[in-house]
Amino acid sequence: MELTAQKSIEKEIKSSLVTDPISHSHKELTKEQIREIVAKRAAKEFREGDVVTLGIGLPTAVANYVPENMHVIFQSENGLLGVGKDQKGNIDKRVINAGGGYVEARQGACFYDSQMAFTMMRGGHIDATVLGALQVDSDGSLASWMIPGKMVPGMGGSMDLVVGAKKVIVAMEHTSKGQIKIVEKCTLPLTAFREVNMIITERCVFEVENDGLVLKEINPMFSVDDIKASTGADFRICDNLKAMC
Amino acid sequence: MKSIVSAQKAISMIKDGASVMIGGFLECGAPDMLIDELVKQNKKNLTMISNDTTYPDADKGRLIVNKQIKKLITSHIGTNPETGKQMHAGELDVELVPMGTLIEKIRAKGTGLGGVLTPTGVGTVLEENKETMNIDGKKFIFEKPLGADFALIYGTKVDKYGNVSFYGTTRNLNTVMATAADTVIVQADELVECLDPNEVVIPGLFVDYIVVKENN
Protein backbone atom coordinates (compact mmCIF):
# COMPACT_ATOMS: atom_id res chain seq x y z
CA MET A 1 0.00 0.00 0.00
CA GLU A 2 3.02 2.26 -0.01
CA LEU A 3 3.37 2.17 -3.74
CA THR A 4 1.45 5.32 -4.58
CA ALA A 5 2.96 7.29 -1.77
CA GLN A 6 6.44 6.05 -2.56
CA LYS A 7 6.07 7.21 -6.15
CA SER A 8 4.92 10.63 -5.06
CA ILE A 9 7.73 10.86 -2.58
CA GLU A 10 10.30 10.03 -5.21
CA LYS A 11 8.87 12.80 -7.32
CA GLU A 12 9.37 15.23 -4.51
CA ILE A 13 12.67 14.08 -3.10
CA LYS A 14 15.02 16.97 -2.92
CA SER A 15 18.70 17.08 -3.59
CA SER A 16 21.31 15.68 -1.27
CA LEU A 17 24.80 16.97 -1.79
CA VAL A 18 25.48 15.60 -5.24
CA THR A 19 23.47 14.84 -8.34
CA ASP A 20 23.94 11.76 -10.44
CA PRO A 21 26.18 12.31 -13.48
CA ILE A 22 24.93 9.10 -15.11
CA SER A 23 21.36 10.32 -15.19
CA HIS A 24 20.52 11.41 -18.76
CA SER A 25 23.76 9.84 -20.06
CA HIS A 26 23.99 6.93 -22.52
CA LYS A 27 24.28 4.57 -19.54
CA GLU A 28 20.84 5.41 -18.26
CA LEU A 29 18.60 2.34 -18.05
CA THR A 30 14.81 2.18 -18.35
CA LYS A 31 12.70 1.61 -15.22
CA GLU A 32 11.91 -1.90 -16.46
CA GLN A 33 15.56 -2.76 -16.98
CA ILE A 34 16.43 -1.45 -13.51
CA ARG A 35 13.61 -3.42 -11.95
CA GLU A 36 14.75 -6.62 -13.61
CA ILE A 37 18.44 -6.24 -12.73
CA VAL A 38 17.75 -5.41 -9.10
CA ALA A 39 15.01 -7.99 -8.53
CA LYS A 40 17.01 -10.77 -10.21
CA ARG A 41 20.06 -10.06 -8.08
CA ALA A 42 18.07 -9.77 -4.83
CA ALA A 43 16.43 -13.16 -5.44
CA LYS A 44 19.89 -14.76 -5.33
CA GLU A 45 20.18 -13.89 -1.65
CA PHE A 46 17.56 -16.45 -0.63
CA ARG A 47 18.31 -19.95 0.55
CA GLU A 48 16.16 -23.07 0.45
CA GLY A 49 13.35 -22.80 3.00
CA ASP A 50 13.82 -19.11 3.76
CA VAL A 51 10.85 -17.10 4.99
CA VAL A 52 10.94 -13.72 3.28
CA THR A 53 8.90 -10.53 3.56
CA LEU A 54 8.94 -8.24 0.54
CA GLY A 55 8.23 -4.53 0.53
CA ILE A 56 5.88 -2.85 -1.91
CA GLY A 57 6.98 -1.67 -5.35
CA LEU A 58 10.24 -2.91 -6.88
CA PRO A 59 10.87 -5.45 -4.07
CA THR A 60 7.59 -7.24 -4.91
CA ALA A 61 9.12 -8.20 -8.27
CA VAL A 62 11.84 -10.20 -6.50
CA ALA A 63 9.39 -13.10 -6.07
CA ASN A 64 9.36 -13.56 -9.86
CA TYR A 65 13.06 -14.48 -9.95
CA VAL A 66 13.23 -17.21 -7.32
CA PRO A 67 14.22 -20.44 -9.12
CA GLU A 68 11.31 -22.87 -9.63
CA ASN A 69 13.04 -25.62 -7.67
CA MET A 70 13.83 -23.44 -4.66
CA HIS A 71 11.25 -23.33 -1.89
CA VAL A 72 11.04 -19.79 -0.51
CA ILE A 73 8.02 -18.83 1.61
CA PHE A 74 6.72 -15.29 1.30
CA GLN A 75 5.16 -13.71 4.37
CA SER A 76 2.73 -10.81 4.24
CA GLU A 77 2.21 -8.52 7.24
CA ASN A 78 -1.57 -8.55 6.86
CA GLY A 79 -1.72 -12.20 7.84
CA LEU A 80 -0.56 -14.66 5.19
CA LEU A 81 2.42 -17.00 5.28
CA GLY A 82 2.72 -18.57 1.83
CA VAL A 83 1.74 -15.78 -0.56
CA GLY A 84 1.01 -17.21 -4.01
CA LYS A 85 0.28 -15.76 -7.42
CA ASP A 86 -2.15 -12.94 -8.14
CA GLN A 87 -5.76 -14.14 -8.24
CA LYS A 88 -7.32 -14.44 -11.67
CA GLY A 89 -10.94 -14.90 -12.67
CA ASN A 90 -13.35 -14.86 -9.74
CA ILE A 91 -11.67 -12.58 -7.24
CA ASP A 92 -12.01 -13.35 -3.52
CA LYS A 93 -11.50 -10.01 -1.80
CA ARG A 94 -10.96 -11.75 1.52
CA VAL A 95 -7.39 -12.76 0.58
CA ILE A 96 -4.97 -9.90 -0.02
CA ASN A 97 -1.29 -9.08 0.29
CA ALA A 98 0.09 -6.07 2.16
CA GLY A 99 -0.26 -3.91 -0.94
CA GLY A 100 -3.98 -4.64 -1.19
CA GLY A 101 -3.50 -6.95 -4.20
CA TYR A 102 -5.71 -10.04 -4.40
CA VAL A 103 -3.47 -13.07 -4.11
CA GLU A 104 -3.69 -16.82 -3.79
CA ALA A 105 -2.55 -18.75 -0.77
CA ARG A 106 0.03 -21.38 -1.76
CA GLN A 107 -0.07 -24.98 -0.69
CA GLY A 108 1.08 -25.11 2.94
CA ALA A 109 0.01 -21.52 3.58
CA CYS A 110 -1.69 -20.24 6.70
CA PHE A 111 -3.67 -17.20 7.77
CA TYR A 112 -3.27 -15.38 11.09
CA ASP A 113 -3.96 -12.03 12.70
CA SER A 114 -1.76 -8.93 12.86
CA GLN A 115 -0.41 -9.78 16.28
CA MET A 116 0.97 -13.08 14.98
CA ALA A 117 2.26 -11.33 11.86
CA PHE A 118 4.36 -8.97 13.97
CA THR A 119 5.45 -11.74 16.29
CA MET A 120 7.02 -13.23 13.17
CA MET A 121 8.43 -9.93 11.93
CA ARG A 122 9.67 -8.15 15.01
CA GLY A 123 10.40 -11.36 16.87
CA GLY A 124 13.28 -12.44 14.63
CA HIS A 125 11.49 -15.22 12.76
CA ILE A 126 11.81 -13.80 9.24
CA ASP A 127 14.99 -14.84 7.44
CA ALA A 128 15.21 -11.91 5.06
CA THR A 129 13.38 -8.82 3.98
CA VAL A 130 13.79 -6.88 0.77
CA LEU A 131 12.51 -3.33 0.79
CA GLY A 132 12.95 0.01 -0.90
CA ALA A 133 14.28 3.22 0.62
CA LEU A 134 14.45 6.96 0.04
CA GLN A 135 17.94 7.08 1.54
CA VAL A 136 20.39 4.55 2.96
CA ASP A 137 23.60 5.54 4.68
CA SER A 138 27.04 4.12 5.36
CA ASP A 139 25.98 3.06 8.87
CA GLY A 140 23.22 0.89 7.45
CA SER A 141 20.48 3.25 8.61
CA LEU A 142 17.61 3.83 6.21
CA ALA A 143 14.86 6.39 5.66
CA SER A 144 11.67 5.40 3.87
CA TRP A 145 8.56 6.74 5.55
CA MET A 146 8.38 10.51 5.35
CA ILE A 147 9.67 13.77 3.98
CA PRO A 148 8.89 16.39 6.62
CA GLY A 149 6.36 18.96 5.49
CA LYS A 150 5.82 17.25 2.16
CA MET A 151 4.86 13.61 2.03
CA VAL A 152 4.05 11.57 5.10
CA PRO A 153 2.71 8.15 4.10
CA GLY A 154 3.60 6.67 7.47
CA MET A 155 5.79 3.74 8.37
CA GLY A 156 3.20 0.96 8.25
CA GLY A 157 4.97 -2.24 9.27
CA SER A 158 8.38 -1.29 7.90
CA MET A 159 9.98 -0.20 11.18
CA ASP A 160 9.09 -3.44 12.96
CA LEU A 161 10.15 -5.54 9.98
CA VAL A 162 13.55 -3.93 9.60
CA VAL A 163 14.30 -4.19 13.30
CA GLY A 164 13.31 -7.86 13.43
CA ALA A 165 14.36 -9.52 10.16
CA LYS A 166 17.59 -11.51 10.26
CA LYS A 167 18.81 -10.01 7.00
CA VAL A 168 17.76 -6.61 5.67
CA ILE A 169 18.29 -6.01 1.95
CA VAL A 170 17.53 -2.62 0.44
CA ALA A 171 16.67 -3.04 -3.23
CA MET A 172 16.27 0.22 -5.11
CA GLU A 173 17.31 2.42 -7.98
CA HIS A 174 20.83 3.70 -7.39
CA THR A 175 19.59 7.28 -7.69
CA SER A 176 16.14 8.78 -8.04
CA LYS A 177 15.46 11.43 -10.68
CA GLY A 178 19.17 12.14 -10.68
CA GLN A 179 19.33 12.55 -6.92
CA ILE A 180 21.75 10.58 -4.76
CA LYS A 181 20.13 8.04 -2.43
CA ILE A 182 23.14 6.30 -0.89
CA VAL A 183 24.56 8.87 1.51
CA GLU A 184 27.04 9.29 4.35
CA LYS A 185 24.26 10.09 6.86
CA CYS A 186 20.53 10.04 6.13
CA THR A 187 18.98 13.50 6.28
CA LEU A 188 15.38 12.25 6.26
CA PRO A 189 13.77 10.78 9.41
CA LEU A 190 15.00 7.23 9.90
CA THR A 191 12.98 4.07 9.59
CA ALA A 192 15.65 2.24 11.56
CA PHE A 193 19.14 2.85 12.87
CA ARG A 194 21.91 0.53 11.61
CA GLU A 195 19.78 -2.39 10.46
CA VAL A 196 20.60 -2.69 6.74
CA ASN A 197 22.95 -5.51 5.73
CA MET A 198 23.01 -5.10 1.98
CA ILE A 199 22.16 -2.56 -0.74
CA ILE A 200 21.34 -3.81 -4.23
CA THR A 201 20.93 -1.34 -7.09
CA GLU A 202 21.08 -1.63 -10.88
CA ARG A 203 24.70 -0.48 -10.72
CA CYS A 204 26.23 -2.41 -7.85
CA VAL A 205 25.95 -4.38 -4.64
CA PHE A 206 27.17 -2.96 -1.33
CA GLU A 207 27.42 -4.80 1.94
CA VAL A 208 27.27 -2.81 5.14
CA GLU A 209 30.13 -3.73 7.43
CA ASN A 210 31.29 -2.27 10.75
CA ASP A 211 33.60 0.18 8.99
CA GLY A 212 31.02 1.25 6.41
CA LEU A 213 30.05 0.27 2.89
CA VAL A 214 31.97 -2.34 0.92
CA LEU A 215 31.54 -2.59 -2.84
CA LYS A 216 31.14 -6.31 -3.53
CA GLU A 217 29.79 -6.46 -7.06
CA ILE A 218 29.54 -4.08 -9.96
CA ASN A 219 27.35 -4.14 -13.06
CA PRO A 220 29.85 -4.36 -15.96
CA MET A 221 28.03 -1.47 -17.67
CA PHE A 222 29.49 0.82 -15.02
CA SER A 223 32.97 1.67 -13.77
CA VAL A 224 34.07 2.10 -10.16
CA ASP A 225 34.37 5.81 -10.95
CA ASP A 226 30.71 5.82 -12.05
CA ILE A 227 29.76 4.28 -8.71
CA LYS A 228 31.89 6.81 -6.82
CA ALA A 229 30.31 9.68 -8.72
CA SER A 230 26.76 8.50 -8.05
CA THR A 231 27.20 7.51 -4.40
CA GLY A 232 27.19 10.07 -1.59
CA ALA A 233 29.15 7.93 0.86
CA ASP A 234 32.72 6.69 0.88
CA PHE A 235 33.12 2.97 0.39
CA ARG A 236 35.79 0.33 0.43
CA ILE A 237 36.28 -1.84 -2.66
CA CYS A 238 36.28 -5.54 -1.93
CA ASP A 239 39.55 -7.29 -2.88
CA ASN A 240 37.49 -9.81 -4.75
CA LEU A 241 35.21 -7.39 -6.63
CA LYS A 242 32.89 -9.40 -8.87
CA ALA A 243 30.70 -8.66 -11.85
CA MET A 244 27.07 -8.34 -10.83
CA CYS A 245 24.90 -10.85 -12.62
CA MET B 1 -26.94 -15.12 23.80
CA LYS B 2 -25.73 -11.79 22.47
CA SER B 3 -27.82 -8.84 21.32
CA ILE B 4 -28.37 -8.92 17.60
CA VAL B 5 -29.16 -5.36 16.51
CA SER B 6 -29.43 -3.26 13.38
CA ALA B 7 -26.47 -1.20 12.20
CA GLN B 8 -28.56 1.89 12.85
CA LYS B 9 -29.13 0.96 16.48
CA ALA B 10 -25.55 -0.18 17.08
CA ILE B 11 -24.02 3.02 15.71
CA SER B 12 -26.57 5.22 17.52
CA MET B 13 -24.83 4.22 20.78
CA ILE B 14 -21.70 6.10 19.67
CA LYS B 15 -21.71 9.73 20.75
CA ASP B 16 -19.89 12.61 19.10
CA GLY B 17 -16.34 12.80 20.47
CA ALA B 18 -16.09 9.06 21.20
CA SER B 19 -12.99 6.99 20.55
CA VAL B 20 -13.51 4.17 18.07
CA MET B 21 -11.15 1.43 16.93
CA ILE B 22 -11.98 -0.01 13.54
CA GLY B 23 -10.67 -3.30 12.19
CA GLY B 24 -9.45 -4.05 8.69
CA PHE B 25 -6.27 -3.92 6.64
CA LEU B 26 -7.14 -1.59 3.77
CA GLU B 27 -10.59 -2.85 2.73
CA CYS B 28 -9.98 -6.45 3.77
CA GLY B 29 -11.77 -7.43 6.96
CA ALA B 30 -13.21 -3.94 7.50
CA PRO B 31 -16.73 -3.66 8.98
CA ASP B 32 -17.91 -1.66 5.98
CA MET B 33 -21.59 -1.59 6.86
CA LEU B 34 -20.91 -0.22 10.35
CA ILE B 35 -18.64 2.45 8.86
CA ASP B 36 -21.26 3.39 6.27
CA GLU B 37 -23.70 3.87 9.13
CA LEU B 38 -21.17 6.07 10.99
CA VAL B 39 -21.02 8.21 7.86
CA LYS B 40 -24.81 8.23 7.55
CA GLN B 41 -25.33 9.28 11.17
CA ASN B 42 -22.51 11.80 10.71
CA LYS B 43 -20.90 11.27 14.12
CA LYS B 44 -18.35 14.03 14.69
CA ASN B 45 -15.08 14.72 16.49
CA LEU B 46 -14.23 11.05 16.69
CA THR B 47 -10.88 9.61 17.66
CA MET B 48 -10.22 6.81 15.20
CA ILE B 49 -7.72 4.05 15.84
CA SER B 50 -7.10 1.97 12.72
CA ASN B 51 -4.36 0.30 10.72
CA ASP B 52 -4.74 2.73 7.82
CA THR B 53 -7.23 5.12 6.21
CA THR B 54 -7.81 3.01 3.08
CA TYR B 55 -8.85 5.05 0.04
CA PRO B 56 -10.98 8.22 -0.16
CA ASP B 57 -14.03 6.33 -1.43
CA ALA B 58 -13.73 3.23 0.77
CA ASP B 59 -14.91 2.43 4.31
CA LYS B 60 -12.62 4.23 6.85
CA GLY B 61 -11.42 6.61 4.17
CA ARG B 62 -14.90 8.06 3.85
CA LEU B 63 -14.87 9.06 7.53
CA ILE B 64 -11.78 11.15 6.75
CA VAL B 65 -13.26 12.70 3.61
CA ASN B 66 -16.45 13.49 5.54
CA LYS B 67 -14.34 15.24 8.22
CA GLN B 68 -15.74 13.17 11.08
CA ILE B 69 -12.35 12.41 12.60
CA LYS B 70 -10.62 14.81 14.96
CA LYS B 71 -7.77 12.60 16.01
CA LEU B 72 -6.34 9.65 14.13
CA ILE B 73 -4.00 7.01 15.53
CA THR B 74 -2.73 4.82 12.71
CA SER B 75 0.33 3.33 11.03
CA HIS B 76 -0.15 4.33 7.40
CA ILE B 77 -1.99 7.10 5.55
CA GLY B 78 -0.27 6.91 2.16
CA THR B 79 -3.21 5.32 0.33
CA ASN B 80 -5.58 8.18 1.12
CA PRO B 81 -4.33 11.61 -0.03
CA GLU B 82 -7.17 13.33 1.84
CA THR B 83 -5.70 12.24 5.20
CA GLY B 84 -2.37 13.89 4.46
CA LYS B 85 -4.11 16.97 3.13
CA GLN B 86 -6.17 17.47 6.29
CA MET B 87 -3.12 16.73 8.43
CA HIS B 88 -0.99 19.36 6.69
CA ALA B 89 -3.86 21.86 6.88
CA GLY B 90 -3.99 21.33 10.65
CA GLU B 91 -7.56 20.02 10.51
CA LEU B 92 -6.72 16.49 11.55
CA ASP B 93 -4.45 15.44 14.40
CA VAL B 94 -2.54 12.39 13.17
CA GLU B 95 -0.40 10.19 15.39
CA LEU B 96 1.62 7.74 13.33
CA VAL B 97 2.57 4.56 15.16
CA PRO B 98 4.48 1.61 13.67
CA MET B 99 2.01 -1.15 12.87
CA GLY B 100 3.55 -3.68 15.23
CA THR B 101 3.66 -1.13 18.04
CA LEU B 102 0.04 -0.10 17.43
CA ILE B 103 -1.06 -3.73 17.73
CA GLU B 104 0.93 -4.29 20.91
CA LYS B 105 -0.41 -1.10 22.52
CA ILE B 106 -3.94 -2.34 21.87
CA ARG B 107 -3.05 -5.83 23.03
CA ALA B 108 -1.57 -4.41 26.26
CA LYS B 109 -4.88 -2.71 27.01
CA GLY B 110 -6.85 -5.86 26.25
CA THR B 111 -4.66 -8.14 28.26
CA GLY B 112 -4.33 -5.88 31.30
CA LEU B 113 -0.69 -4.89 30.96
CA GLY B 114 0.70 -1.48 31.84
CA GLY B 115 2.41 -1.14 28.45
CA VAL B 116 5.02 -2.80 26.30
CA LEU B 117 8.72 -2.41 25.52
CA THR B 118 9.63 -2.47 21.86
CA PRO B 119 12.91 -2.18 19.94
CA THR B 120 10.97 -0.67 17.00
CA GLY B 121 11.81 3.00 16.51
CA VAL B 122 14.97 3.05 18.64
CA GLY B 123 17.38 5.59 17.12
CA THR B 124 14.56 7.34 15.20
CA VAL B 125 12.31 10.33 15.91
CA LEU B 126 9.84 7.95 17.59
CA GLU B 127 12.18 7.72 20.53
CA GLU B 128 11.75 11.43 21.30
CA ASN B 129 9.81 12.23 24.48
CA LYS B 130 9.43 8.55 25.31
CA GLU B 131 10.80 6.56 28.18
CA THR B 132 13.44 4.03 27.20
CA MET B 133 14.80 1.08 29.08
CA ASN B 134 17.95 -0.93 28.73
CA ILE B 135 17.37 -4.65 29.07
CA ASP B 136 20.35 -7.00 28.89
CA GLY B 137 22.28 -4.42 26.87
CA LYS B 138 19.54 -3.68 24.36
CA LYS B 139 17.51 -0.48 24.23
CA PHE B 140 13.70 -0.56 24.18
CA ILE B 141 11.01 2.13 23.96
CA PHE B 142 8.17 2.05 26.46
CA GLU B 143 4.71 2.30 24.88
CA LYS B 144 1.50 2.77 26.86
CA PRO B 145 -1.67 0.70 26.43
CA LEU B 146 -4.30 1.95 24.00
CA GLY B 147 -8.02 1.31 24.38
CA ALA B 148 -11.21 2.90 23.05
CA ASP B 149 -14.87 3.46 23.89
CA PHE B 150 -15.95 1.29 20.95
CA ALA B 151 -14.45 -1.34 18.69
CA LEU B 152 -16.10 -1.92 15.33
CA ILE B 153 -14.90 -5.24 14.02
CA TYR B 154 -15.61 -7.71 11.24
CA GLY B 155 -16.30 -11.44 11.36
CA THR B 156 -16.90 -13.85 8.49
CA LYS B 157 -19.09 -16.16 10.57
CA VAL B 158 -20.44 -15.19 13.97
CA ASP B 159 -22.64 -17.36 16.15
CA LYS B 160 -25.39 -16.34 18.56
CA TYR B 161 -22.94 -16.63 21.45
CA GLY B 162 -20.73 -13.96 19.91
CA ASN B 163 -18.00 -16.36 18.81
CA VAL B 164 -16.25 -15.15 15.67
CA SER B 165 -14.46 -17.01 12.88
CA PHE B 166 -12.66 -15.67 9.83
CA TYR B 167 -11.89 -16.44 6.23
CA GLY B 168 -8.61 -15.55 4.51
CA THR B 169 -6.70 -12.46 5.60
CA THR B 170 -9.69 -10.79 7.24
CA ARG B 171 -8.49 -11.31 10.83
CA ASN B 172 -5.84 -8.60 10.86
CA LEU B 173 -6.51 -6.13 13.72
CA ASN B 174 -10.05 -7.34 14.41
CA THR B 175 -8.89 -9.93 16.94
CA VAL B 176 -6.82 -7.61 19.11
CA MET B 177 -9.32 -4.73 18.92
CA ALA B 178 -12.06 -7.02 20.23
CA THR B 179 -10.20 -7.16 23.54
CA ALA B 180 -9.52 -3.47 24.10
CA ALA B 181 -12.77 -1.47 23.91
CA ASP B 182 -15.59 -0.87 26.38
CA THR B 183 -18.19 -1.87 23.80
CA VAL B 184 -17.46 -4.26 20.94
CA ILE B 185 -19.72 -4.41 17.90
CA VAL B 186 -19.10 -7.11 15.31
CA GLN B 187 -20.39 -7.02 11.75
CA ALA B 188 -21.09 -10.59 10.68
CA ASP B 189 -21.06 -11.63 7.03
CA GLU B 190 -23.08 -14.59 8.22
CA LEU B 191 -24.85 -15.37 11.51
CA VAL B 192 -24.94 -19.04 12.48
CA GLU B 193 -26.61 -20.81 15.36
CA CYS B 194 -23.41 -22.20 16.82
CA LEU B 195 -19.84 -22.35 15.48
CA ASP B 196 -17.70 -25.44 15.88
CA PRO B 197 -15.59 -24.50 18.95
CA ASN B 198 -12.50 -25.51 16.97
CA GLU B 199 -13.17 -22.75 14.45
CA VAL B 200 -13.58 -19.90 16.91
CA VAL B 201 -10.89 -17.20 16.70
CA ILE B 202 -12.46 -14.51 18.90
CA PRO B 203 -14.16 -15.98 21.97
CA GLY B 204 -17.72 -14.73 22.39
CA LEU B 205 -17.10 -13.07 25.74
CA PHE B 206 -15.37 -10.15 24.01
CA VAL B 207 -18.37 -9.33 21.81
CA ASP B 208 -21.27 -7.15 22.99
CA TYR B 209 -23.42 -6.62 19.89
CA ILE B 210 -23.81 -8.42 16.58
CA VAL B 211 -24.93 -6.71 13.39
CA VAL B 212 -25.67 -9.07 10.54
CA LYS B 213 -24.77 -7.87 7.07
CA GLU B 214 -27.42 -9.83 5.17
CA ASN B 215 -30.24 -8.42 7.29
CA ASN B 216 -29.55 -4.85 6.30
Side-chain angles (χ1 to χ4, degrees), chain A residues 1-2 77-79 92-96 98 100 111 113-115 118 122 150 152-156 159-160 163 190, chain B residues 25-26 28 75-79 88 96 98-100 103-104 107 118 120 123-124 126 167-169 172-173 175:
Chain A
M1 69 174 156
E2 289 169 11
E77 67 184 12
N78 59 304
D92 188 337
K93 292 187 172 181
R94 297 175 298 180
V95 184
I96 65 166
F111 297 118
D113 67 7
S114 300
Q115 194 190 322
F118 283 87
R122 192 184 42 234
K150 292 196 185 296
V152 188
M155 65 292 280
M159 284 191 173
D160 303 282
V163 160
L190 296 184
Chain B
F25 191 109
L26 295 170
C28 189
S75 74
H76 196 273
I77 60 173
T79 52
H88 285 121
L96 284 165
M99 202 180 290
I103 292 154
E104 286 303 312
R107 187 186 72 91
T118 179
T120 304
T124 76
L126 294 192
Y167 186 91
T169 52
N172 52 64
L173 281 78
T175 50

Side-chain angles (χ1 to χ4, degrees), chain A residues 12-57:
Chain A
E12 299 214 14
I13 188 164
K14 289 295 175 215
S15 169
S16 298
L17 301 171
V18 216
T19 51
D20 178 12
I22 290 163
S23 170
H24 305 299
S25 79
H26 67 286
K27 289 182 179 178
E28 196 171 33
L29 296 160
T30 65
K31 292 272 177 197
E32 291 69 31
Q33 288 171 319
I34 291 172
R35 194 181 173 89
E36 186 181 341
I37 295 167
V38 176
K40 213 181 236 180
R41 178 59 191 84
K44 292 190 175 145
E45 288 304 304
F46 307 150
R47 299 290 167 260
E48 178 65 28
D50 272 0
V51 177
V52 175
T53 304
L54 300 177
I56 305 302

Side-chain angles (χ1 to χ4, degrees), chain B residues 89-105:
Chain B
E91 298 165 4
L92 177 63
D93 178 10
V94 179
E95 184 181 339
L96 284 165
V97 183
M99 202 180 290
T101 302
L102 180 66
I103 292 154
E104 286 303 312
K105 283 167 74 73

